[in-house]
Amino acid sequence: MATNGMLASIRQLPGVGEKRAAVFSRLHIATLGDLLSHYPRTYENRKTCKRIIDLQHEETTCIKAVVFSAVKTSVIRKNMRVHTARVSDGTGFLDLVWFNNRFIEQKLKKGETYIFYGKVRLSPKRQMQTPLFEVPGAQKQTGRIFPIYPLTEGLSDGFFASCTEQALSLLQGQITDTLPQKVREAYGLCDLETALQNIHFPTDRTGYESARRRLAFEELFLFQSALLTLKKNGKRASTASMSASPLPFIQSLPYALTNAQERVIREITADLYSSTVMNRLVCGDVGSGKTAVAAAAIYTAVKSGFQAAFMAPTEILATQHYKSLSVFYANHGIKIELLLGSMSASARAAAVERLASGESHVAVGTHALFSEKVTFHSLGLAITDEQHRFGVNQRHLLSQKGENPHVLVMSATPIPRTLALIVYGDLDVSLIDELPPGRQKIDTFAVTEQYRKRIYTFIQKELDAGRQAYIVCPLIEENEALELQAATDYAKKLQESVFPGYSIGLLHGKMKNAEKDAVMAQFKNGELQLLVATTVIEVGVDVPNATIMLIENAERFGLSQLHQLRGRIGRGEHKSYCILINQSKHEAAKERLLVMQEQSDGFKIAEEDLKQRGPGEFFGTRQHGLPDFKIVNIYSDMPLLQETTRAAQDFVEERLTCTREEKQALYEKMNALFNNRVTFNKNFY
Ligand code: ADP
Ligand code: MG
């Protein structure tokens, strides 16, 4: 066995050959350590036997009984054989039933006593269906609290549990703890071996709870230590020390900044002036004016003699930022380049050349901008917009590019403070918690199908008055082809039978970037009155004349996503309306949508969303910045988070006494957390 037994292959286990190992690999289990960190999803109490006389209809339990008649097999139809046996424990009898089980006749012996575990029915017949059974004294799957795992085809609970049990006994006394002893002592946590033993085979509730606490603590502690280490390592000496004032830019704006915008610009400027590199997140609700804040930062960088890069998740957004900056800097002598994947090679080469020579000051583009060979003359500031779409990995790839610029991240996903610790624990955070004045509240209505006619009439009235409208298509989970079909059909139907004579455009994720841009441009300049779209419009496109958004099947969206979508309207001088059509009959769905009707504060909506759906759903499958925690439940483990934050801070600030081995174990785990793409312990070994 390898020195670290946790790294030994599961092939070590009896019964696990090539075939089984392949099945395990579908669960991402290759080593004994992987196996032991595949935790049960639930447990069954198979500890005690009930008397037959006491059995309840439909309960699942153990009985201890003697087989009273040999197994009888009857063929009830082709390919369907039923085996029955009658058992008794002196208080009553029960018939046991199996289907198509070739071995049962040999295995179950008349006159012998067994422990049976299964689901009981008392009517119409007194039966236990397909029970598992064991000989008393040689029990493995009964007589204990039994773990039930999330499994895949080809693995049974019994086999899996026997594997974990054998792994635990193979590794007995060899499981090195991954939490430093001082941390375990300070927070009252059991050692890893005990925790693993108890999470797989708890003997009682207390054992289970202390195991769970210890494992969840470790998971959070590691993740937070990793983020805080990144934050600390990010505090490198800056080579781009800046000194220009953003004031001339601010004074040239057509509006006065909000207090929140001013405060955040001050925070950013202080970072840019300081001697360490900035790593800051600006978090602000949709419409809070993040672009102007970014523009002020870029202005400061350029006027201090540096270049800046501004990265957006889509070409539409990059183009929009490019246009905004062009207007902002019209009289400031700042030269901007737009870099898109869809540009011609020669146009791009020319732009790249102007950036490399320092002739141009700012590069705006999608993140292709950074992955390709764009070199700067003197990059001093890198801004990424709508960061909730990128994970920690991507964030740090950028800052590891060698240029070492100041980094500003902008997010429009308001997230609860507590969660920010986990998602953005590696950054300093600035909040724009105020909207520009004069923004009217968007009137929001959650309605049923019955109102459709009236809604269409209302939309027509607004279009006739010169306004524009978005219609967001039914969301079809994870199926782009279906979603596309639905959007296309729906747009066609609207054009033919509801809005003939109006100009309708269609926007969806499968379109080429150039097509998307063309449609968006048409909508923006008013050629299109109505835009039927999938959720591709959720990110940041600014059309102030659009005043209505109708969202179909609103019950299928998360609240935060609805809020994000709604942020596309209410951006101009006209009153705006958001209509949510709810197709669900469930009371809960109705109540959820009422939150949208009443609440316009993105942070409050985010908190409500998190509470209702839990973090996985909250961030959506495609856009979360959270790791896949194995045991932590972000919502219910919030109290634990305070303790782990403290412990992680102590570790990273080196206030914690731990041995070299303990540190090394932690660093190894931290590296693995980000698939070794970010290294935490460069100077350690
Ligand atoms: P977001 O934070 O969603 O990126 P934007 O930067 O796109 O928001 O700004 C939304 C709208 O608000 C834009 O039309 C912008 O011109 C306007 N805006 C930004 N700041 C102010 C302000 N202080 N006063 C008035 N309007 C503002
Ligand atoms: Mg924006």
Side-chain angles (χ1 to χ4, degrees):
M1 174 155 309
T3 34
N4 184 349
M6 295 286 261
L7 296 178
S9 163
I10 47 161
R11 298 278 295 269
Q12 300 249 341
L13 299 172
V16 182
E18 201 175 321
K19 263 198 186 144
R20 280 255 172 69
V23 181
F24 275 107
S25 78
R26 275 194 263 141
L27 299 171
H28 306 286
I29 297 172
T31 65
L32 297 184
D34 298 337
L35 179 72
L36 292 180
S37 54
H38 192 79
Y39 304 128
R41 63 179 166 79
T42 185
Y43 301 85
E44 287 179 0
N45 190 345
R46 303 179 182 176
K47 252 165 118 169
T48 43
C49 292
K50 282 191 95 172
R51 300 193 304 171
I52 290 181
I53 195 172
D54 297 330
L55 292 178
Q56 307 285 317
H57 185 56
E58 304 232 296
E59 80 173 316
T60 303
T61 187
C62 289
I63 56 168
K64 184 178 181 181
V66 60
V67 181
F68 185 101
S69 64
V71 177
K72 279 195 211 104
T73 297
S74 46
V75 179
I76 56 168
R77 69 183 131 82
K78 200 173 162 219
N79 297 331
M80 177 56 96
R81 282 175 306 156
V82 181
H83 321 275
T84 51
R86 179 156 291 191
V87 298
S88 160
D89 68 351
T91 73
F93 75 90
L94 204 62
D95 285 329
L96 310 179
V97 185
W98 289 270
F99 304 96
N100 290 343
N101 188 328
R102 283 184 288 150
F103 308 107
I104 212 81
E105 286 181 20
Q106 296 145 40
K107 273 197 187 159
L108 202 68
K109 300 202 173 69
K110 183 180 167 183
E112 294 285 326
T113 299
Y114 300 90
I115 311 285
F116 299 96
Y117 175 79
K119 188 168 177 179
V120 175
R121 304 186 139 272
L122 297 180
S123 71
K125 287 178 183 161
R126 300 177 56 82
Q127 284 187 342
M128 190 182 254
Q129 281 200 354
T130 56
L132 63 88
F133 56 94
E134 294 180 323
V135 178
Q139 292 158 261
K140 283 188 152 12
Q141 301 190 46
T142 59
R144 64 192 335 183
I145 296 169
F146 196 76
I148 306 295
Y149 296 91
L151 292 180
T152 182
E153 211 180 297
L155 287 174
S156 68
D157 286 321
F159 179 71
F160 198 92
S162 82
C163 287
T164 44
E165 187 159 37
Q166 288 177 69
L168 282 166
S169 84
L170 261 175
L171 296 177
Q172 198 170 24
Q174 296 183 52
I175 296 179
T176 359
D177 216 291
T178 34
L179 274 181
Q181 193 181 348
K182 288 274 182 236
V183 175
R184 280 183 280 140
E185 283 168 9
Y187 296 91
L189 304 163
C190 64
D191 64 87
L192 182 57
E193 186 164 336
T194 310
L196 289 175
Q197 179 68 42
N198 275 318
I199 204 74
H200 291 287
F201 301 101
T203 47
D204 55 23
R205 177 120 225 133
T206 328
Y208 162 75
E209 273 165 6
S210 79
R212 196 194 168 283
R213 173 176 152 80
R214 138 88 214 207
L215 295 168
F217 189 104
E218 177 173 333
E219 225 180 358
L220 284 172
F221 171 75
L222 274 174
F223 191 67
Q224 288 180 286
S225 295
L227 290 182
L228 290 173
T229 304
L230 286 174
K231 185 170 178 176
K232 191 176 172 197
N233 293 349
K235 298 239 180 287
R236 283 169 298 212
S238 166
T239 46
S241 85
M242 304 185 179
S243 54
S245 163
L247 265 184
F249 168 75
I250 293 172
Q251 280 157 358
S252 72
L253 286 170
Y255 43 73
L257 291 175
T258 62
N259 291 329
Q261 282 172 313
E262 266 184 17
R263 173 173 35 81
V264 173
I265 290 175
R266 267 201 309 276
E267 287 166 357
I268 293 169
T269 316
D271 284 354
L272 297 179
Y273 291 174
S274 84
S275 56
T276 41
V277 164
M278 170 170 74
N279 267 299
R280 182 170 291 279
L281 167 78
V282 171
C283 189
D285 214 340
V286 274
S288 60
K290 290 185 289 296
T291 321
V293 169
I298 293 173
Y299 178 91
T300 307
V302 172
K303 292 301 170 187
S304 303
F306 293 92
Q307 290 172 302
F310 195 174
M311 173 166 101
T314 66
E315 297 211 342
I316 298 182
L317 261 181
T319 309
Q320 186 178 299
H321 286 326
Y322 172 74
K323 287 178 186 157
S324 305
L325 292 185
S326 303
V327 175
F328 280 142
Y329 299 146
N331 302 310
H332 291 296
I334 295 179
K335 200 160 184 292
I336 315 164
E337 297 294 342
L338 179 62
L339 286 176
L340 299 175
S342 58
M343 277 165 74
S344 78
S346 62
R348 193 159 44 171
V352 166
E353 173 52 37
R354 287 190 294 271
L355 288 165
S357 71
E359 181 190 339
S360 290
H361 308 106
V362 185
V364 183
T366 58
H367 44 282
L369 174 70
F370 289 89
S371 51
E372 284 170 30
K373 291 191 204 85
V374 181
T375 50
F376 290 87
H377 182 254
S378 54
L379 184 66
L381 171 66
I383 304 185
T384 54
D385 192 13
E386 312 290 355
Q387 261 292 337
H388 63 291
R389 290 170 177 273
F390 309 132
V392 177
N393 270 336
Q394 274 165 299
R395 220 150 55 215
H396 287 275
L397 282 181
L398 197 147
S399 59
Q400 290 187 349
K401 259 205 93 176
E403 307 260 5
N404 209 11
H406 293 286
V407 174
L408 190 64
V409 169
M410 303 207 296
S411 167
T413 314
I415 58 173
R417 264 258 168 227
T418 34
L419 214 49
L421 278 176
I422 300 183
V423 184
Y424 295 118
D426 54 330
L427 304 170
D428 294 313
V429 178
S430 290
L431 291 184
I432 311 184
D433 48 7
E434 181 188 354
L435 292 181
R439 257 324 130 69
Q440 301 182 38
K441 184 174 180 294
I442 300 167
D443 279 347
T444 302
F445 305 96
V447 300
T448 56
E449 182 62 33
Q450 286 178 315
Y451 286 78
R452 187 176 291 282
K453 265 234 164 72
R454 261 187 270 176
I455 292 163
Y456 284 153
T457 312
F458 180 63
I459 294 177
Q460 274 170 6
K461 237 177 67 195
E462 283 283 303
L463 298 184
D464 291 342
R467 304 286 81 76
Q468 290 164 283
Y470 292 103
I471 297 191
V472 180
C473 269
L475 182 74
I476 296 157
E477 213 60 61
E478 300 297 335
N479 188 330
E480 282 186 0
L482 265 181
E483 195 158 302
L484 176 57
Q485 188 56 41
T488 315
D489 292 350
Y490 185 54
K492 199 163 155 229
K493 195 187 104 196
L494 285 177
Q495 180 77 77
E496 283 167 5
S497 53
V498 188
F499 298 101
Y502 294 84
S503 53
I504 302 183
L506 175 65
L507 193 73
H508 56 75
K510 281 270 165 115
M511 283 161 73
K512 291 212 179 74
N513 285 325
E515 294 172 313
K516 274 193 231 167
D517 286 351
V519 171
M520 216 46 236
Q522 280 180 314
F523 189 61
K524 205 166 168 162
N525 69 29
E527 276 169 61
L528 293 172
Q529 294 169 285
L530 216 162
L531 189 62
V532 176
T534 58
T535 51
V536 291
I537 57 153
E538 101 187 332
V539 202
V541 183
D542 201 17
V543 182
N545 190 46
T547 55
I548 294 202
M549 177 172 287
L550 167 66
I551 302 179
E552 297 280 357
N553 287 95
E555 77 281 0
R556 297 196 201 166
F557 294 85
L559 295 182
S560 291
Q561 200 179 11
L562 289 173
H563 179 69
Q564 199 75 28
L565 285 166
R566 181 169 65 177
R568 297 303 106 222
I569 56 171
R571 301 189 143 235
E573 51 188 306
H574 302 285
K575 175 95 196 143
S576 293
Y577 305 89
C578 177
I579 300 147
L580 308 170
I581 299 195
N582 174 16
Q583 302 284 5
S584 166
K585 300 267 181 290
H586 292 292
E587 199 56 32
K590 202 166 126 194
E591 264 169 40
R592 225 160 60 76
L593 293 176
L594 282 183
V595 174
M596 295 304 296
Q597 207 164 297
E598 279 146 24
Q599 203 46 268
S600 54
D601 180 332
F603 286 91
K604 298 220 171 86
I605 290 176
E607 227 154 273
E608 193 59 36
D609 204 15
L610 179 65
K611 204 183 320 176
Q612 289 181 0
R613 301 193 307 162
E617 291 293 312
F618 171 75
F619 282 99
T621 42
R622 277 165 293 191
Q623 57 188 40
H624 68 75
L626 279 176
D628 286 329
F629 286 123
K630 281 182 161 39
I631 201 159
V632 168
N633 173 325
I634 291 298
Y635 202 70
S636 58
D637 284 327
M638 277 298 170
L640 194 59
L641 192 63
Q642 297 184 346
E643 295 179 78
T644 55
T645 305
R646 189 151 46 91
Q649 281 165 348
D650 286 345
F651 172 68
V652 175
E653 299 303 327
E654 295 178 23
R655 286 190 294 264
L656 197 81
T657 341
C658 47
T659 66
R660 198 183 160 78
E661 288 71 33
E662 286 176 329
K663 265 193 192 160
Q664 179 161 347
L666 283 178
Y667 282 133
E668 270 169 19
K669 284 221 145 183
M670 278 153 62
N671 288 339
L673 213 53
F674 296 116
N675 302 323
N676 295 311
R677 287 175 65 188
V678 180
T679 327
F680 291 91
N681 49 341
K682 282 202 199 94
N683 309 319
F684 186 73
Y685 292 107

